[in-house]
Amino acid sequence: MLPGDLCHHPEGWGPVSRLRSFDLTPCFEDAVLFSVPLGLLIAVSLLRLWHLSRLSALHRTQRINTWLLWAKLVVLGLILSISLVNIGIAIARPQCVYYFPSLVLEAVAFLVLPLLTYLSHTRTRQSSTVALLFWLAYFPALLIWSRTVLLDVTRERILAVLEPRWGIGGLGIVAFALECLGPEFRAEPDDKPRLNPESPLLTANVFSVWTFGWLTPLMKKGVKQFITEDDLPELLSEEETAKVGQKLQRAMKKHKSLWTAFFASYGGPFALAACLKLLQDSLSFLQPQFLRLFLSFISSYQSARLSGISEHLAPSAVEGLSIATLMFSTAIVQSIILHQYFQRCFETGMRVRAGLVAVIYQKALVLSNDERGKASGDIVNLMSVDASRLQDLCTYGLMIISAPFQVTLAFVSLYNLLGWSAFVGVGIMIFSVPLNTMIANFLKNLQVKQMKSKDKRSRLMSELLANIKSIKLYAWEHAFLRRVLLVRNEEELKMLRKIGIYSAMNTALWGGIPLLVAFSSFATAAAISSKPLTSDIIFPAISLFMLLQFPLAMTAMLTNQAIEGLVSAKRLKAFLDGDELQLDARDVRLNPNLVAGDMVLEIKDGEFNWSKEAPTPTIEGINLVVRKGELTGIVGRVGAGKSSLLSAIIGDMRRIEGKVTLYGTVAYAPQNPWLMGASIRDNILFSHEYDEAFYNLVLDACALRPDLELFPNGDLTEVGEKGITLSGGQRARVSLARAVYARADLVLLDDVLSAVDSQVARQVFDQVIGPRGLLATKARIVVTHSVSFLPKFDQLVYVRRGIIIESGTYANLAGEKGSHFYKLIHGHGHGHTSGSASSGSATPFWNDEGSTPSASSSHGEEGTLTEEKIDTLGEKLTRKKSFGRAVVAPVTSQTTKASSGGLSEEQSAKGRVKANVYWRYIEAASKTGFAFFVIVTILQQAMQIFGTFALKHWSEGNRESGENRSAMKYLWAYGVLSLSATILNSAGSILILVLCSLRSSKHLHDAMLHSVIRAPLTFFELTPTGRILNLFTKDTNVVDQALARVIQFVFRTLASSVGIIVVIGSSFPPFLIAIIPLGWMYSRFMTYYLATSRELQRLNAVSRSPIISWFSESLSGLSTIRAFNHQATFTEINEHRVDRNQMCYLPSTSVNRWLAVRLEFIGASIIYISSMLAVGALITSGVDAGLVGLVISYALNTTSSLNWLVRSASEVEQNIVSVERMLQYIELKPEAPYEVPETHPEGAWPTDGLVEFRNYSLRYRPELDLVLKNISLTLYPGEKIGICGRTGAGKSSLLLALFRILEPAEGTILIDGVDITKIGLHDLRSAMTIVPQSPDLFEGTVRENIDPVGEYQDADIWEALKQSHLKEYVESLPEGLDAPVRESGSSLSAGQRQLICFARALLRKTKILVLDEATSAVDLETDKAIQEIIRGPQFKHTTILTIAHRLNTIMDSDRILVLAAGKVAELDTPNNLLAKPNSAFRSLAMEAGLT
């Protein structure tokens, strides 16, 4: 205790005054209310000054910021002067001061404050938090002290100090206002180039952070205009994915458990959030105590008033006002703490997701082949669904600590109110725990099964979209629809229905338990307690029971989230612990000074396998040395292991024996070219720096100039996902150009010449691969099926069944008669080059109105091979002995942003979601079911209000009688009404979650699936798969579960809010006046919030798609990424894309906090106004304590009800965006009708295979020129037609026309006299068969890949396999026809995949067969065998159209069709055409070395 002689007031230290009603003693106020804030200011300021002194001063250029500093220092100087004057007065007149040390402390504090302000202003960018919080504590202390002084009988003594203190207070307000403006009132010029505004958090003061005022400028902007990504602030540097991911990776190396790693990485802010939550919980339980005090005050005041006690002895009205003010202040502080807790939870969730996406991506880049067997759809799900689930768990995960704490507080408080009766509720709670555990386990099992169904459907959808072209060409839409819908409707929706029912019951159970606890506690108290249950006991108890409802309800939700989180964490852990690529598969020793003849690659006794489980090695006994400047060729039959050898070199295979040593960098062009959904230039540069001179050399050498002239944007043309808008030849040459541009020491080319015509093949070989090509100084390994270029190779390797059986120079191998190599070249001759016109496998895409250049113009001077050009290249190569390695360019946000949109921007509607979207959702759900749900919700709220009124009447009766009379009558009324509310709650949940939600979900998903699969092929070329998959995963998941839950919440909170206003308004009519300004504020906040949050949610959704697209794209090109050693670059791009999404996500969650803080202020104001009205009514006319209890207990709920109303309304609008996006896809413009019953061809059509083109013209889009012009020709039944022509001649367009991928501009095609434009697409496409250039295979079995529809017998399938030379291979597999085929057929070689497609054609036995470069990936021997089948008896009566790949494949066709510039140039027999000196076909044959 402080020495008594320091206090100069007769009352002493108190602390409660004996002389004044409801007041403190002056000495206590001086020593505590003033001295504690002043002492804290001095202590904290000294620490802060030490910290600031270590920072360097910031350079300020704006004058106003300097003036602001001087203004603050002047004001603080005046305050210090007044404080010193006060000390002078106290020394001169000691009787004027009650407690002298407080004045000394005040002077010292105001001496330190200017120093703190100066350093804070000059060395930081934020207002001083210490100063702001000090003034916040000083002003209330000054008010309380001033009241005491003015009421004190000895006040004349202290008036001399009162006025200076008021002067300090007045100047303090000015100092506070100036400090709030911050050191950068006007923004300083920023030298750093920025794409987005810098984060306002860098300059926000503590109040701006607490109230989320830093978001207000964005909110204002959102009302005036649509928010775009450019308006959003940058992430803080510590929130960037790269840093967050590194943290998690470091933690995962130290800790085995994923949960421990999370806590080690992101646990700090989460632990602070836990402390904030526990503090907020404590404050929330103070409110019922304040309510109890307030009701006790009203009862005491009312009793004193009625009994006529003197005013001096009666309770002071100030006491009531003070309690009301305390309730208001507590509500405000509670709100600030709660939302700081939420913000930290959301930020932690954001970090968890970003960190997980980063580590999942990095893991995917190093996955072993065994692990890669897991379909990419599953891996994408880990990133999009599982990472998001763990993010969601962070939001409410701390309820695991908070819920038991809240329950404990509730029961302690209830014990104080009701005594031992409260513990009847404890028994009910204990009984409910095992029940909850049982339900939780049951729901967990259902959830696991549901996730498996979701994964299965995602895989099927991923596969359907990847192979959509084949599905359309083969007319397999119905078969694949059935597959997806079977999983969706028979597995997923059935499971969701079960989950919905049990979740509704679980929610009802946890909603009913607090009511049961309240009922049993009141009943027991009424039965055993003699003390009457009056309003000051019942209504605080009801408030506590309501508070108890939240942790219990959250327990149910948290149980579900925790289950989902545990399942997801287990899946993630299994993935992250998966096998990785063998780190020591190869020994890389980079030598920057390699010279000609130096060893670049050495393989000694190499033995490699794809899987560690495989019993025998894939390739073995490999001995190979490749030197700088050497050209090595690898030849062999399909499936011999040629591509596997290249995979071993790039480190994709598991090394069992031997050694692989690499002395330089690697570039790789795979057999199936992998392109990114970016521009042609980006695909060639492949994240290397742009060297214009060399880049132009590469374009010329790879014969890409003529192709680029076809595109309006040249090399800046976007190629679409997987390069879908380019032809096969163009894709191959872009992939080759990428390998060339990298200028690596070792270049691996896997059959790159197979997809280009003979002329381009020769040009590419001479100018790129050959001894005088761009790569002449590099080590090159080329896998090839072509024999014409073999003499120019320095070294040749013949591979058979995974073993190098022959190797040496061409001269040595060709001279060994009887060798495999000898048979290869002499069996097929030198002229059988790999060549055909570059035939497209997709619709070309142009953006302007320019025409397609003719074939002659497209192969102009630059595209044609000339001696002069080769000489020029040779000179360049001589001048520069060896081109230096390409330098990897730094990744920037701008480059990431520029290349993430795909060919078409994702549709994102602006403004409010249209009412039509809501109406269509309700229509899909069930209008009747929805109406019943609304009625049930209103009835439930009415029952709850009636139950509370029953308690109010009971409490009033008890107060009047002084005993618990008529207890059972009121309790039964309360019990029946509460039970009715619980039952109605459960009924409403089942109606909305099961009946309405799943009906709408089924309708929307099925309609969207039908619409997507019926969309034209151009839609898939322009739309990234990730974007479509996002709709079928994330958006479908929202409509399945999230949307119905938030709609249910909106209607419940709306009913609750209306109920509150009705109860308060009917009790205190003046309250309705306050509703007007509060309602205006509410509507303003809603306007700001909805306008901004809506757009932020859309931006968040749209920015998520590029992450998924990049992820699935990267999974497709893992081998290429690894070969180029670009893992770091691709990881960085992924991190930038996640950052873009986080930049949209963070404001989209923070706006919820912005709104909540403001709405809770309105809620607190309603409590305050209600309390003030109650005090006013009490003083003037008296008021019923039961009524006040009822009103205030409802007012206490206002905060959460109003908050949740806007939040859930906004969530509905945010989630309904998923419906809006789905509806956009449902309304996609479809292809021509799938079936037209009126024109269905009769019988087995076509019977002959007669094809007639009648004046047929075609254009890709209405605004473009014709690509086929007035084609008129007849192809007779059973005729074999070879189609050839240069690039851009129209060969692919002819194919697209025949299958009606595009509709004619004019004219038509007749098959057996039937106009194909009049019949359904299914009738047309099922009547023809195509063997495409790019073979599409599905995950499943060999049988399912050959016959997806399941309409053929096994015997027929075996026969087709025999004819396509695959029977021996399939028989060697343990499962035979049931042998598994991996996603995209990755378990088979490219040649085997093409032969599977050939088996499909043999099985279908249609009268028309189209071969689109069908043998590009098979060796010459297999090609020859296939040609024999085509000419054999099986296809004797089949009309065959062959787009030439190798010209020798069409030399014995019945007729040759030569196209030029979209017109028929020649149509005659091969012999007749070769006999004509000026024949276009003759010139092509001469270039191919066939004449």
Side-chain angles (χ1 to χ4, degrees):
M1 194 170 177
L2 289 165
D5 57 354
L6 289 176
C7 177
H8 302 299
H9 192 275
E11 278 191 297
W13 290 106
V16 178
S17 171
R18 300 186 304 274
L19 306 174
R20 294 173 306 283
S21 178
F22 195 70
D23 200 5
L24 299 167
T25 63
C27 287
F28 178 81
E29 289 174 355
D30 268 347
V32 177
L33 289 186
F34 276 119
S35 299
V36 169
L38 290 166
L40 282 173
L41 173 66
I42 294 164
V44 176
S45 292
L46 291 172
L47 283 172
R48 183 71 180 145
L49 285 168
W50 174 78
H51 173 71
L52 289 171
S53 65
R54 301 174 70 189
L55 301 177
S56 53
L58 299 172
H59 179 61
R60 306 253 189 236
T61 57
Q62 298 289 342
R63 278 189 178 181
I64 192 166
N65 295 335
T66 310
W67 293 344
L68 197 62
L69 172 62
W70 287 112
K72 285 195 273 190
L73 293 174
V74 166
V75 171
L76 291 172
L78 289 171
I79 290 173
L80 177 61
S81 304
I82 294 170
S83 186
L84 292 171
V85 167
N86 248 347
I87 290 177
I89 294 170
I91 293 168
R93 298 165 62 187
Q95 73 277 10
C96 291
V97 181
Y98 295 141
Y99 181 65
F100 182 72
S102 70
L103 291 180
V104 176
L105 211 58
E106 190 174 70
V108 173
F110 291 138
L111 183 66
V112 172
L113 199 54
L115 288 171
L116 177 70
T117 301
Y118 178 79
L119 284 181
S120 185
H121 191 102
T122 54
R123 301 190 178 196
T124 71
R125 301 184 62 196
Q126 294 171 318
S127 301
S128 170
T129 302
V130 177
L132 290 174
L133 293 182
F134 163 72
W135 287 120
L136 199 64
Y138 187 85
F139 296 139
L142 183 61
L143 281 173
I144 295 167
W145 179 82
S146 299
R147 175 181 176 263
T148 302
V149 168
L150 293 171
L151 289 175
D152 189 27
V153 291
T154 63
R155 63 179 175 273
E156 287 78 13
R157 286 170 48 194
I158 206 165
L159 285 177
V161 188
L162 180 67
E163 288 171 5
R165 270 224 165 130
W166 280 0
I168 290 173
L171 287 168
I173 291 169
V174 177
F176 179 77
L178 290 171
E179 192 60 54
C180 282
L181 296 175
E184 291 186 10
F185 178 68
R186 184 173 293 162
E188 296 287 338
D190 189 5
D191 298 331
K192 185 182 171 186
R194 296 180 189 277
L195 292 172
N196 292 79
E198 74 168 1
S199 174
L201 282 167
L202 294 170
T203 54
N205 65 39
V206 64
F207 301 124
S208 182
V209 171
W210 284 356
T211 62
F212 297 86
W214 55 273
L215 269 174
T216 303
L218 185 69
M219 307 298 277
K220 287 179 177 175
K221 195 168 193 175
V223 173
K224 293 174 187 169
Q225 64 186 64
F226 294 125
I227 297 284
T228 66
E229 200 179 301
D230 295 334
D231 299 318
L232 302 180
E234 288 178 339
L235 285 176
L236 295 171
S237 62
E238 61 267 23
E239 303 291 354
E240 288 171 0
T241 306
K243 292 180 182 175
V244 169
Q246 284 164 10
K247 261 189 180 178
L248 183 58
Q249 276 194 319
R250 284 196 296 269
M252 283 170 66
K253 285 174 186 171
K254 292 179 188 172
H255 309 283
K256 285 187 176 179
S257 164
L258 194 59
W259 296 107
T260 313
F262 283 147
F263 282 109
S265 307
Y266 318 121
F270 206 54
L272 175 59
C275 297
L276 289 172
K277 183 70 182 110
L278 295 176
L279 180 58
Q280 187 267 333
D281 290 341
S282 304
L283 287 175
S284 68
F285 281 90
L286 266 182
Q287 290 287 35
Q289 305 305 327
F290 287 142
L291 175 61
R292 185 183 184 185
L293 286 172
F294 190 66
L295 294 176
S296 294
F297 159 76
I298 286 179
S299 292
S300 305
Y301 194 96
Q302 185 82 324
S303 300
R305 194 164 169 271
L306 293 172
S307 58
I309 294 172
S310 68
E311 191 179 324
H312 178 69
L313 296 172
S316 166
V318 175
E319 182 182 346
L321 295 173
S322 299
I323 296 170
T325 305
L326 266 176
M327 287 169 79
F328 175 73
S329 306
T330 306
I332 297 294
V333 172
Q334 187 186 330
S335 174
I336 288 167
I337 292 171
L338 176 66
H339 296 295
Q340 287 306 306
Y341 145 76
F342 267 131
Q343 186 70 0
R344 276 157 185 74
C345 287
F346 274 109
E347 284 173 356
T348 304
M350 189 176 91
R351 292 182 195 115
V352 165
R353 175 176 167 259
L356 275 173
V357 171
V359 297
I360 291 167
Y361 188 85
Q362 287 172 35
K363 180 72 178 183
L365 291 178
V366 294
L367 271 187
S368 70
N369 291 294
D370 292 324
E371 291 296 322
R372 268 179 73 185
K374 292 178 179 175
S376 58
D378 290 359
I379 300 173
V380 171
N381 253 357
L382 288 173
M383 186 209 64
S384 65
V385 177
D386 294 289
S388 296
R389 279 186 168 175
L390 288 174
Q391 177 184 10
D392 294 341
L393 186 61
C394 290
T395 311
Y396 295 105
L398 285 173
M399 285 301 294
I400 292 168
I401 304 166
S402 173
F405 181 64
Q406 286 186 49
V407 169
T408 306
L409 282 177
F411 277 118
V412 168
S413 304
L414 284 166
Y415 174 73
N416 289 333
L417 284 172
L418 298 170
W420 290 105
S421 308
F423 286 93
V424 174
V426 176
I428 295 167
M429 291 287 295
I430 291 167
F431 169 75
S432 70
V433 170
L435 186 64
N436 177 43
T437 308
M438 189 176 74
I439 293 170
N441 285 331
F442 185 70
L443 279 170
K444 177 184 175 181
N445 294 332
L446 291 180
Q447 200 69 45
V448 170
K449 288 177 186 173
Q450 199 257 338
M451 274 307 293
K452 284 180 181 172
S453 300
K454 193 187 288 292
D455 280 353
K456 195 172 172 184
R457 181 172 59 82
S458 294
R459 263 202 314 277
L460 285 171
M461 277 309 303
S462 180
E463 203 162 60
L464 184 149
L465 295 170
N467 302 310
I468 190 68
K469 185 170 185 188
S470 287
I471 290 168
K472 285 189 172 295
L473 290 172
Y474 284 108
W476 284 339
E477 288 96 332
H478 283 326
F480 278 83
L481 269 176
R482 277 198 302 274
R483 281 190 192 183
V484 176
L485 292 177
L486 184 72
V487 174
R488 170 74 178 162
N489 297 333
E490 295 304 314
E491 294 180 30
E492 200 176 352
L493 286 183
K494 278 188 177 176
M495 200 54 64
L496 282 169
R497 190 170 287 110
K498 280 186 185 176
I499 289 170
I501 290 168
Y502 286 106
S503 294
M505 288 166 64
N506 202 26
T507 306
L509 174 72
W510 288 111
I513 283 173
L515 295 171
L516 185 61
V517 168
F519 177 78
S520 57
S521 299
F522 285 148
T524 310
I528 66 171
S529 174
S530 57
K531 184 183 175 184
L533 295 176
T534 53
S535 57
D536 61 336
I537 294 173
I538 286 178
F539 288 106
I542 287 289
S543 287
L544 286 165
F545 289 133
M546 284 180 170
L547 283 171
L548 187 62
Q549 200 164 355
F550 180 71
L552 293 178
M554 283 302 295
T555 304
M557 190 188 97
L558 189 66
T559 305
N560 290 340
Q561 279 200 342
I563 290 163
E564 290 175 359
L566 288 167
V567 171
S568 292
K570 195 175 175 184
R571 283 156 53 89
L572 285 162
K573 182 66 176 163
F575 172 75
L576 294 171
D577 287 345
D579 273 354
E580 295 184 3
L581 284 174
Q582 191 179 0
L583 286 173
D584 60 348
R586 52 188 194 153
D587 181 11
V588 181
R589 305 174 189 173
L590 289 182
N591 178 0
N593 304 312
L594 287 169
V595 294
D598 282 0
M599 193 185 294
V600 178
L601 171 73
E602 181 183 25
I603 304 178
K604 280 185 182 175
D605 302 321
E607 196 170 294
F608 304 92
N609 218 329
W610 283 110
S611 168
K612 64 178 178 183
E613 307 295 333
T616 56
T618 307
I619 50 175
E620 57 186 315
I622 305 296
N623 286 288
L624 183 65
V625 173
V626 182
R627 300 180 184 280
K628 185 171 171 66
E630 203 170 72
L631 175 58
T632 302
I634 300 176
V635 291
R637 293 201 60 182
V638 168
K642 303 183 296 299
S643 296
S644 295
L645 180 53
L646 296 191
S647 296
I649 293 167
I650 63 175
D652 265 7
M653 293 186 79
R654 189 175 289 277
R655 180 176 56 77
I656 305 163
E657 294 287 341
K659 191 175 183 184
V660 180
T661 312
L662 196 61
Y663 297 95
T665 54
V666 176
Y668 175 54
Q671 189 171 16
N672 289 325
W674 172 74
L675 299 187
M676 304 179 292
S679 69
I680 293 170
R681 180 184 290 184
D682 287 339
N683 270 289
I684 294 172
L685 296 182
F686 203 54
S687 301
H688 290 112
E689 285 184 356
Y690 181 54
D691 175 347
E692 189 175 2
F694 187 73
Y695 177 75
N696 287 325
L697 274 180
V698 172
L699 291 184
D700 290 332
C702 295
L704 279 167
R705 282 272 182 223
D707 300 283
L708 296 181
E709 288 172 8
L710 297 172
F711 300 116
N713 295 329
D715 64 347
L716 298 178
T717 301
E718 296 267 333
V719 299
E721 201 170 14
K722 297 179 186 173
I724 197 165
T725 60
L726 302 182
S727 71
Q730 287 164 340
R731 284 202 295 273
R733 279 176 287 132
V734 169
S735 177
L736 172 65
R738 173 196 295 156
V740 177
Y741 187 82
R743 289 157 276 179
D745 302 307
L746 175 62
V747 183
L748 309 176
L749 306 176
D750 194 353
D751 205 14
V752 290
L753 301 178
S754 64
V756 296
D757 61 42
S758 55
Q759 180 211 21
V760 175
R762 185 163 295 280
Q763 177 179 344
V764 167
F765 186 85
D766 289 336
Q767 296 191 12
V768 177
I769 303 167
R772 300 182 71 184
L774 278 178
L775 297 177
T777 59
K778 307 292 184 184
R780 293 141 288 156
I781 300 179
V782 181
V783 172
T784 184
H785 290 130
S786 165
V787 296
S788 63
F789 300 121
L790 294 183
K792 296 185 180 179
F793 282 69
D794 300 309
Q795 177 185 204
L796 291 163
V797 173
Y798 190 94
V799 182
R800 182 177 173 83
R801 291 182 181 172
I803 302 168
I804 295 178
I805 56 171
E806 293 168 6
S807 64
T809 63
Y810 179 82
N812 291 344
L813 293 175
E816 291 179 20
K817 291 185 180 178
S819 69
H820 288 279
F821 188 79
Y822 182 86
K823 287 176 189 172
L824 175 76
I825 57 171
H826 289 281
H828 301 286
H830 294 276
H832 295 189
T833 185
S834 166
S836 86
S838 169
S839 167
S841 63
T843 313
F845 174 64
W846 294 281
N847 281 327
D848 71 356
E849 298 181 6
S851 62
T852 309
S854 66
S856 56
S857 68
S858 68
H859 274 276
E861 203 172 297
E862 286 184 283
T864 309
L865 177 66
T866 62
E867 288 295 326
E868 186 184 337
K869 180 160 281 187
I870 292 172
D871 289 341
T872 309
L873 273 173
E875 283 170 27
K876 287 177 182 172
L877 288 170
T878 308
R879 280 200 306 272
K880 194 167 187 179
K881 293 292 182 190
S882 180
F883 291 103
R885 296 169 185 161
V887 180
V888 176
V891 178
T892 64
S893 299
Q894 183 63 54
T895 56
T896 311
K897 190 173 178 180
S899 63
S900 63
L903 276 168
S904 61
E905 285 299 318
E906 181 156 13
Q907 283 191 327
S908 174
K910 301 281 186 186
R912 297 202 67 160
V913 177
K914 294 179 178 65
N916 182 46
V917 174
Y918 292 96
W919 182 243
R920 287 188 59 182
Y921 174 74
I922 292 168
E923 273 186 329
S926 162
K927 286 180 273 189
T928 311
F930 206 81
F932 271 114
F933 162 70
V934 173
I935 292 163
V936 163
T937 305
I938 293 166
L939 285 173
Q940 179 211 352
Q941 186 60 34
M943 294 297 162
Q944 283 183 341
I945 291 171
F946 291 145
T948 317
F949 267 99
L951 290 176
K952 179 237 172 191
H953 288 299
W954 182 34
S955 70
E956 281 308 300
N958 289 349
R959 187 179 64 79
E960 287 167 9
S961 65
E963 59 180 10
N964 293 315
R965 67 178 182 82
S966 310
M968 294 318 290
K969 180 175 75 175
Y970 286 112
L971 273 175
W972 277 117
Y974 174 68
V976 169
L977 289 165
S978 297
L979 181 65
S980 303
T982 305
I983 293 167
L984 287 167
N985 180 9
S986 182
S989 292
I990 290 171
L991 272 170
I992 190 78
L993 293 178
V994 181
L995 177 70
C996 297
S997 172
L998 294 187
R999 276 186 63 164
S1000 65
S1001 175
K1002 181 180 187 307
H1003 173 82
L1004 290 168
H1005 173 273
D1006 294 359
M1008 181 170 71
L1009 179 61
H1010 280 90
S1011 180
V1012 165
I1013 209 164
R1014 290 285 299 116
L1017 200 59
T1018 46
F1019 165 75
F1020 298 96
E1021 292 167 2
L1022 303 181
T1023 312
T1025 302
R1027 190 182 298 170
I1028 304 171
L1029 267 179
N1030 200 17
L1031 277 148
F1032 282 95
T1033 52
K1034 187 80 178 176
D1035 290 306
T1036 300
N1037 192 44
V1038 165
V1039 178
D1040 279 349
Q1041 291 174 297
L1043 184 56
R1045 282 179 188 163
V1046 289
I1047 287 175
Q1048 179 186 19
F1049 220 70
V1050 163
F1051 279 94
R1052 284 193 182 158
T1053 47
L1054 181 63
S1056 174
S1057 301
V1058 170
I1060 288 165
I1061 290 166
V1062 167
V1063 168
I1064 300 175
S1066 60
S1067 306
F1068 294 121
F1071 172 78
L1072 297 174
I1073 300 167
I1075 284 289
I1076 296 166
L1078 290 175
W1080 178 83
M1081 284 170 69
Y1082 188 72
S1083 67
R1084 291 299 296 158
F1085 292 152
M1086 275 194 70
T1087 305
Y1088 276 103
Y1089 172 74
L1090 290 175
T1092 310
S1093 71
R1094 180 193 308 130
E1095 297 309 316
L1096 288 172
Q1097 187 65 21
R1098 283 182 177 141
L1099 288 172
N1100 183 27
V1102 168
S1103 64
R1104 198 187 303 117
S1105 294
I1107 302 172
I1108 297 173
S1109 293
W1110 185 251
F1111 208 84
S1112 50
E1113 204 169 70
S1114 301
L1115 288 171
S1116 306
L1118 281 178
S1119 296
T1120 308
I1121 296 165
R1122 290 167 181 169
F1124 279 84
N1125 198 26
H1126 269 10
Q1127 293 96 317
T1129 304
F1130 272 68
T1131 299
E1132 202 175 338
I1133 292 170
N1134 180 60
E1135 288 165 354
H1136 275 285
R1137 292 192 176 207
V1138 176
D1139 284 344
R1140 277 186 61 213
N1141 179 237
Q1142 302 284 66
M1143 204 170 72
C1144 300
Y1145 170 80
L1146 185 59
S1148 74
T1149 57
S1150 299
V1151 291
N1152 292 333
R1153 314 272 73 78
W1154 180 93
L1155 174 77
V1157 167
R1158 281 150 185 77
L1159 290 189
E1160 286 174 17
F1161 171 76
I1162 291 176
S1165 301
I1166 289 173
I1167 298 170
Y1168 198 44
I1169 291 165
S1170 303
S1171 306
M1172 290 299 193
L1173 287 171
V1175 172
L1178 184 69
I1179 295 165
T1180 53
S1181 58
V1183 72
D1184 184 355
L1187 182 64
V1188 173
L1190 176 71
V1191 167
I1192 302 294
S1193 63
Y1194 265 91
L1196 285 169
N1197 283 326
T1198 314
T1199 308
S1200 61
S1201 288
L1202 290 179
N1203 187 5
W1204 281 112
L1205 178 59
V1206 183
R1207 281 279 305 284
S1208 44
S1210 167
E1211 278 189 49
V1212 167
E1213 191 162 41
Q1214 289 168 5
N1215 285 313
I1216 204 84
V1217 169
S1218 291
V1219 175
E1220 184 181 44
R1221 283 151 60 87
M1222 289 172 89
L1223 288 172
Q1224 285 171 357
Y1225 275 62
I1226 287 169
E1227 288 157 9
L1228 289 174
K1229 189 178 178 183
E1231 290 183 296
Y1234 198 59
E1235 287 171 340
V1236 182
E1238 304 82 41
T1239 58
H1240 178 71
E1242 294 178 9
W1245 174 86
T1247 53
D1248 301 321
L1250 174 70
V1251 181
E1252 295 176 71
F1253 283 79
R1254 290 189 180 172
N1255 196 29
Y1256 190 91
S1257 297
L1258 177 74
R1259 54 166 55 95
Y1260 286 116
R1261 286 205 307 278
E1263 70 273 16
L1264 298 179
D1265 286 351
L1266 296 170
V1267 289
L1268 290 180
K1269 302 164 189 171
N1270 303 320
I1271 302 281
S1272 292
L1273 53 93
T1274 303
L1275 311 178
Y1276 298 104
E1279 197 172 22
K1280 312 296 180 275
I1281 301 292
I1283 304 170
C1284 60
R1286 300 203 186 281
T1287 301
K1291 303 182 300 298
S1292 298
S1293 305
L1294 202 68
L1295 181 153
L1296 299 174
L1298 194 59
F1299 282 85
R1300 276 181 71 196
I1301 297 297
L1302 293 170
E1303 297 295 330
E1306 58 180 298
T1308 189
I1309 302 170
L1310 275 67
I1311 296 178
D1312 281 5
V1314 174
D1315 186 342
I1316 68 165
T1317 61
K1318 299 288 195 293
I1319 62 173
L1321 291 180
H1322 181 263
D1323 291 330
L1324 172 66
R1325 292 171 185 170
S1326 60
M1328 297 185 287
T1329 302
I1330 183 170
V1331 180
Q1333 180 184 7
S1334 303
D1336 287 336
L1337 267 66
F1338 325 108
E1339 187 180 7
T1341 63
V1342 172
R1343 178 190 285 104
E1344 286 168 351
N1345 270 281
I1346 295 171
D1347 177 26
V1349 184
E1351 57 185 351
Y1352 297 99
Q1353 300 296 318
D1354 279 10
D1356 298 328
I1357 296 171
W1358 280 115
E1359 184 59 31
L1361 287 170
K1362 181 183 175 184
Q1363 291 170 359
S1364 57
H1365 295 256
L1366 273 175
K1367 187 177 182 183
E1368 187 183 336
Y1369 169 72
V1370 176
E1371 281 179 334
S1372 72
L1373 300 170
E1375 301 94 339
L1377 286 176
D1378 293 316
V1381 175
R1382 282 190 192 169
E1383 192 177 18
S1384 303
S1386 57
S1387 51
L1388 302 170
S1389 74
Q1392 288 166 332
R1393 291 202 289 274
Q1394 218 156 25
L1395 291 174
I1396 290 267
C1397 293
F1398 212 89
R1400 290 173 185 163
L1402 289 160
L1403 193 62
R1404 280 165 69 110
K1405 297 184 178 71
T1406 53
K1407 285 292 178 183
I1408 298 171
L1409 173 64
V1410 179
L1411 304 175
D1412 180 12
E1413 305 180 359
T1415 55
S1416 61
V1418 298
D1419 60 88
L1420 293 172
E1421 199 173 328
T1422 309
D1423 185 13
K1424 187 179 179 185
I1426 288 171
Q1427 298 304 325
E1428 285 171 6
I1429 295 166
I1430 293 168
R1431 295 165 198 135
Q1434 301 98 318
F1435 292 109
K1436 186 179 180 183
H1437 302 292
T1438 302
T1439 305
I1440 299 176
L1441 286 77
T1442 306
I1443 292 182
H1445 207 157
R1446 300 170 176 132
L1447 281 186
N1448 63 302
T1449 62
I1450 59 167
M1451 288 303 286
D1452 56 355
S1453 299
D1454 296 326
R1455 284 192 293 169
I1456 301 289
L1457 170 63
V1458 182
L1459 292 173
K1463 294 179 180 178
V1464 177
E1466 296 171 349
L1467 178 59
D1468 208 338
T1469 62
N1471 291 337
N1472 289 348
L1473 292 175
L1474 290 172
K1476 293 179 183 175
N1478 298 326
S1479 163
F1481 180 67
R1482 178 185 167 86
S1483 65
L1484 285 170
M1486 286 175 73
E1487 286 165 9
L1490 292 173
T1491 56

